Amino acid sequence: MDGRGRAMRMSVELPLWRALAGYRVLTLVYAVLIFVFGQDRFERPGIAVGVLAVMAVWTLATLPRVSSAARCTRPFLAVDLAIALTGILLTPLADAQAQTHDGPTLPSIWTAGSVLAFALKGGWRWAGFASSLVAVANIVERGEPSADTFHNVLLVWVASIAIGYVVEVARASERTLARALEIDAATRERERLARDIHDGVLQVLAMVQRRGTALGGEAAELGRMAGEQEVALRSLVSGGLVPPSRTPEAAPATAENAPAENAPAESGPAGPVDLRTLLAPCAGARVTLSEPGTPVLLAPGAARELAAAVGAALDNVRRHAGDAASAWILVEDWPDEVVVTVRDDGPGIAEGRLAQAEGEGRLGVAQSIRGRLRDLGGRAELLSVPGQGTEVELTVPRGKADT
């Protein structure tokens, strides 16, 4: 379990251990008060004072022991339970009439603290073991136990086992949650690397294949080899097997991912970045950029990812609509969100084409666009009508984008 999982575990268990420490102190005070107000019935008060003194010293001296499962060791639990059992069994020596009435034992409900420590440390099995020993000691102390004695014994036994079971379930849930967080983090990292590969390596290979085929000769053979490598790499990306040596910082510079190139580097300023400066290189002869007259400020990471998603949308326009297609970028800066719309006048996307492309490992829309916006807490909506072009609307909530 990583540091985050351990922190969650502490956040759940720590209040329980603190509550146990407080319970032990309060029940010690309660046991002392019972003796003080009922000392007339003790034939041998010295024994009672001795037992309570040992309990007091032990309780106060071992408070750090009941602060966590690691500090609550087995030897401590054994001694703690032995003191509780001894106090129960010595009650008839201090109070000769203890077996003829249903008064409290010398430790009284302080004994339950020992049982609860077993429950928090080892779960319901440890709790059942400790509570069974306490039950036997109470029955022996009573001599002829009454119905109330059996009722109290059964109550402690059931309650301690229930608490131990709850603790075990909580720990199992924490482990499951920690594992889920690890898987989620790994999945997000894999998708991030896959986006980088798509924006860099795959686009270069596709360009080499197209140019090589167009040039012919030896270049055609080079293009064929590039095409084979592109297919193989797409299979790896779609299967989640991303080469570990590729990192976002190592993405090759290409003409087809210009927005990502012009984004601030990871080591750049930590302050807000004007999204307009990242989108400016996208404008050209066939790409019209419309933006507000005032800066559109976003956190550096959010601005880079949003600009990269716009670049991926424009790359799809170039690849699928052709060089003759025109595109328009509209930037809207609202108080609660930033919206960037990319529209083209190309042939549009046929129904079912996106699902087919994702199955073939072509993840431009699935990861380079939608994946980026999902990681930012935003959304990407695509509207395409065959023969009437495609419109991609990228929305990033202002609160998420600023973090």
Side-chain angles (χ1 to χ4, degrees):
M1 184 180 296
D2 61 8
R4 181 169 43 185
R6 288 192 295 269
M8 289 188 302
R9 178 167 180 170
M10 287 180 61
S11 67
V12 173
E13 290 192 12
L14 188 57
L16 297 178
W17 287 105
R18 288 177 176 173
L20 176 59
Y23 176 87
R24 289 167 64 87
V25 173
L26 292 177
T27 52
L28 171 65
V29 174
Y30 178 73
V32 172
L33 291 177
I34 289 178
F35 169 74
V36 171
F37 289 104
Q39 57 182 320
D40 294 340
R41 64 182 175 86
F42 287 91
E43 289 79 4
R44 301 180 183 87
I47 296 178
V49 171
V51 171
L52 293 174
V54 171
M55 288 171 47
V57 173
W58 174 257
T59 301
L60 298 177
T62 59
L63 280 179
R65 289 286 187 176
V66 289
S67 60
S68 66
R71 293 187 176 184
C72 188
T73 60
R74 292 187 180 186
F76 163 77
L77 290 174
V79 175
D80 194 58
L81 184 60
I83 292 175
L85 297 178
T86 302
I88 294 174
L89 297 176
L90 289 179
T91 300
L93 296 179
D95 181 8
Q97 305 298 320
Q99 295 183 339
T100 61
H101 59 78
D102 290 326
T105 60
L106 288 175
S108 184
I109 57 176
W110 182 88
T111 306
S114 299
V115 177
L116 292 176
F118 271 83
L120 293 181
K121 173 68 175 181
W124 69 270
R125 293 176 180 84
W126 287 34
F129 168 77
S131 58
S132 296
L133 293 181
V134 171
V136 172
N138 275 282
I139 292 174
V140 171
E141 182 269 334
R142 292 301 179 189
E144 296 181 0
S146 64
D148 288 339
T149 301
F150 284 108
H151 172 77
N152 294 333
V153 165
L154 182 62
L155 181 62
V156 173
W157 191 75
V158 172
S160 61
I161 290 179
I163 292 175
Y165 179 76
V166 170
V167 170
E168 287 189 0
V169 171
R171 286 173 178 166
S173 300
E174 289 164 359
R175 289 192 294 267
T176 302
L177 178 58
R179 179 58 180 163
L181 291 175
E182 291 175 358
I183 294 175
D184 179 70
T187 300
R188 288 182 179 274
E189 179 65 11
R190 184 170 62 243
E191 290 181 354
R192 186 173 67 87
L193 295 177
R195 287 197 298 265
D196 178 67
I197 291 176
H198 176 272
D199 291 346
V201 181
L202 291 179
Q203 292 182 4
V204 170
L205 291 175
M207 182 182 65
V208 172
Q209 181 186 22
R210 292 196 302 269
R211 299 289 174 85
T213 302
L215 293 175
E218 294 183 359
E221 177 64 15
L222 179 62
R224 184 189 65 79
M225 296 173 61
E228 293 177 353
Q229 294 302 312
E230 179 192 8
V231 173
L233 187 54
R234 287 188 186 278
S235 299
L236 290 175
V237 171
S238 60
L241 300 177
V242 180
S245 60
R246 298 298 298 168
T247 62
E249 293 75 15
T254 69
E256 299 190 42
N257 64 350
E261 290 177 354
N262 290 276
E266 291 292 338
S267 58
V273 173
D274 187 356
L275 179 64
R276 301 180 306 168
T277 62
L278 303 184
L279 297 181
C282 298
R286 294 192 173 276
V287 179
T288 302
L289 175 61
S290 301
E291 58 191 15
T294 56
V296 182
L297 299 179
L298 290 174
R304 283 193 296 268
E305 290 295 282
L306 184 54
V310 173
L314 292 176
D315 178 67
N316 286 335
V317 174
R318 286 190 291 267
R319 296 184 61 184
H320 303 297
D323 294 334
S326 298
W328 295 265
I329 304 173
L330 174 62
V331 180
E332 300 174 89
D333 186 10
W334 300 100
D336 57 343
E337 61 186 12
V338 175
V339 181
V340 180
T341 304
V342 181
R343 183 171 59 86
D344 66 75
D345 59 359
I349 302 175
E351 184 177 357
R353 176 55 186 156
L354 290 180
Q356 178 184 356
E358 185 173 351
E360 295 173 354
R362 301 180 180 274
L363 307 176
V365 174
Q367 290 188 2
S368 289
I369 298 178
R370 287 176 176 162
R372 280 189 164 97
L373 271 293
R374 182 181 64 248
D375 289 348
L376 294 176
R379 64 184 184 277
E381 298 180 358
L382 188 146
L383 176 62
S384 181
V385 178
Q388 300 183 24
T390 302
E391 180 176 300
V392 179
E393 184 179 272
L394 311 174
T395 304
V396 177
R398 174 66 70 182
K400 294 289 183 70
D402 291 339
T403 56

